[in-house]
Amino acid sequence: MNDYFSIKMTDDEIRGISSIGLAHLGDAVYELLVRSWLCVHGKATGKGLHRATIALVCAKAQCRLSEKILPLLTEEEQAVFRRGRNANVHTVPRSTSRGEYQQATALEALFGWLYLRGQRERINQLFMTMMEGEE
């Protein structure tokens, strides 16, 4: 039986997943972190909580926050980030530019990749760096 809460795949298995697939998973990882962060920081109030979540998970915010971690990425992480940024995305929300959306997709792909490798501490380290000053 697989334990999908603690999944860990080999690098070869992960390479078989498309950039969009990694971003799809990373989007959920990132949103879970944001929701947890908001609750821990006392922002857990109904409609306000939902709005705060949306404000932090939108592509513009992900793009802005990802800039904080770019200098900290290893060469391998940078390669995954580039792979995610270069993913062939067909639709871009009107509220964001193509560049912002690509950067957000890159961040999500990185988080998906780290999650599948079982690198929870690294995800948390990068996320905490992103959230510095956001309180």
Side-chain angles (χ1 to χ4, degrees), residues 18-82:
S18 70
S19 298
I20 298 299
L22 291 176
H24 176 74
L25 180 59
D27 177 55
V29 171
Y30 180 76
E31 184 163 343
L32 179 60
L33 289 167
V34 166
R35 287 173 179 237
S36 300
W37 185 85
L38 289 169
C39 287
V40 168
H41 286 87
K43 296 184 179 11
T45 58
K47 195 184 289 186
L49 180 60
H50 179 71
R51 285 189 180 130
T53 300
I54 297 300
L56 288 170
V57 299
C58 72
K60 280 186 184 298
Q62 286 183 357
C63 177
R64 176 179 57 82
L65 294 171
S66 70
E67 290 293 328
K68 295 180 178 183
I69 64 168
L70 291 179
L72 307 175
L73 299 183
T74 66
E75 284 184 32
E76 195 173 23
E77 291 167 347
Q78 289 174 16
V80 172
F81 194 90
R82 277 191 304 275

